[in-house]
Amino acid sequence: GDSVTQMEGPVTLSEEAFLTINCTYTATGYPSLFWYVQYPGEGLQLLLKATKADDKGSNKGFEATYRKETTSFHLEKGSVQVSDSAVYFCALSDQGSWGKFQFGAGTQVVVTP
Amino acid sequence: NAGVTQTPKFQVLKTGQSMTLQCAQDMNHNSMYWYRQDPGMGLRLIYYSASEGTTDKGEVPNGYNVSRLNKREFSLRLESAAPSQTSVYFCASRGGAHQETQYFGPGTRLLVL
């Protein structure tokens, strides 16, 4: 079945450092790919998405490119802020189904001043 | 436009007690979902409703029941709570212009003693 694997955390960074969170997936069809962010005590918010190969999703300085050849959707940000401290989830949705999502385990990111 | 709302925000139950978690969305979405979030395990699908009048099991349905009351509301019921059901529960909906995206509520934190 479909699955998502993302790097384990916590990832601890200093402010203005470069962030990369690796995400790889396994899917039988042509899924859409997502990054969601969860701030402490809150629900998940969509950060960015890509619906087909080579698409780049971007939002709030974060970027991720849908790489079909490597089945990856790595999240990057060039200069993190303390406010980026959160848990980040990679997810896929098989467009051929009823919209079922498969989530990764989540990566906690801690940014220190 | 409140998006997805959930009640209650926090609940403590004793083993064997029952309760219903409420979820409502005002985005006119067809599909709704219930997830549980446990440390290190990401989000796991409990039940989903692809459209009004239909419900189906997800990955971890045991011990739960659901009701799609109408297009807006999707409730999750624990008939006899167990400590293993201590978790954070999220409701989500999908539909509209961004068919591939799920939108999440703020969550219900449940503690079963």
Side-chain angles (χ1 to χ4, degrees), chain A residues 34 36 38 49 89 98-99, chain B residues 37 48 90 94 100-102:
Chain A
F34 304 82
Y36 281 83
Q38 184 180 33
K49 66 183 179 186
F89 291 92
W98 40 265
Chain B
Q37 182 182 30
Y48 68 96
F90 288 101
R94 181 184 72 94
E100 70 283 354
T101 302
Q102 289 192 10

Side-chain angles (χ1 to χ4, degrees), chain A residues 3-18:
Chain A
S3 66
V4 175
T5 303
Q6 61 182 104
M7 61 188 290
E8 292 187 19
V11 174
T12 303
L13 303 164
S14 297
E15 208 165 20
E16 299 183 2
F18 185 86

Side-chain angles (χ1 to χ4, degrees), chain A:
Chain A
D2 296 350
S3 66
V4 175
T5 303
Q6 61 182 104
M7 61 188 290
E8 292 187 19
V11 174
T12 303
L13 303 164
S14 297
E15 208 165 20
E16 299 183 2
F18 185 86
L19 171 68
T20 298
I21 304 176
N22 290 338
C23 172
T24 58
Y25 68 90
T26 302
T28 53
Y30 299 92
S32 294
L33 301 174
F34 304 82
W35 278 101
Y36 281 83
V37 59
Q38 184 180 33
Y39 299 103
E42 298 184 10
L44 278 71
Q45 303 174 23
L46 178 67
L47 181 59
L48 53 83
K49 66 183 179 186
T51 58
K52 61 183 187 296
D54 299 324
D55 270 2
K56 177 186 284 188
S58 61
N59 186 26
K60 299 181 180 179
F62 290 90
E63 292 184 341
T65 301
Y66 188 170
R67 301 286 188 200
K68 190 169 183 291
E69 64 275 15
T70 55
T71 61
S72 64
F73 193 54
H74 305 320
L75 183 68
E76 298 181 335
K77 185 174 185 182
S79 177
V80 293
Q81 305 299 313
V82 173
S83 57
D84 294 324
S85 297
V87 180
Y88 293 82
F89 291 92
C90 186
L92 69 80
S93 173
D94 182 353
Q95 298 185 51
S97 70
W98 40 265
K100 177 183 175 182
F101 267 46
Q102 190 70 43
F103 284 89
T107 302
Q108 183 177 13
V109 173
V110 178
V111 181
T112 58

